[in-house]
Amino acid sequence: MNAELETSHNYNTSRCLWLKQALAFLLGSCTSLALGHLDLPAPLPLVIWHGMGDSCCNPLSTGTIKQMVEKKIPGIYVLSLQIGKILVQDVENSFFLNVNSQVKMVCQILAKDPKLQQGYNAMGFSQGGQFLRAVAQRCSSPPMINLISVGGQRQGVFELSHLHQSSGNPSHFQTSSLHAQA
């Protein structure tokens, strides 16, 4: 019985010692941080891909989002992807350039950017979210840490809204056929 009590006492003592050391470290770190003696790690870079018909730098959409993130997270590196040499090409390519070509182009852009080599977070809007999913699956270097997809397609089409049968509207057969295809 004494051996069990001694083992339990040693276990609790070592656990308390560990807890005291952890608390001392945290208090010391917080004090150092408050006094400005400890630098926070740089925020992980963010890669943004716009949706169809938009551009990397549109001040009414993606450009504003980029500026907002930079303002809210000081020191963050934000890369808003431009697919083409000029903004007009960026917009046109969002409609007409083959998806696989766009993904390949982005993989090359990311691989060449020295600020992304330790990893990055990604945020895609509409088809940009879908295409970033392809980047995550096809391009392992640099590594994508997190993907935020805003308004992107994730699981396909679930259903079509109910179509009432009356003159000018599709018949029950047509509605059933459409639902089956969805």
Side-chain angles (χ1 to χ4, degrees), residues 4 18 46 115 124 158 168:
E4 284 181 26
W18 178 87
L46 176 65
K115 295 179 181 177
F158 173 67

Side-chain angles (χ1 to χ4, degrees), residues 5-20:
L5 287 175
E6 189 174 321
T7 302
S8 175
H9 175 72
N10 289 340
Y11 173 75
N12 287 334
T13 302
S14 66
R15 193 168 68 176
C16 286
L17 181 60
W18 178 87
L19 184 58
K20 286 179 184 177

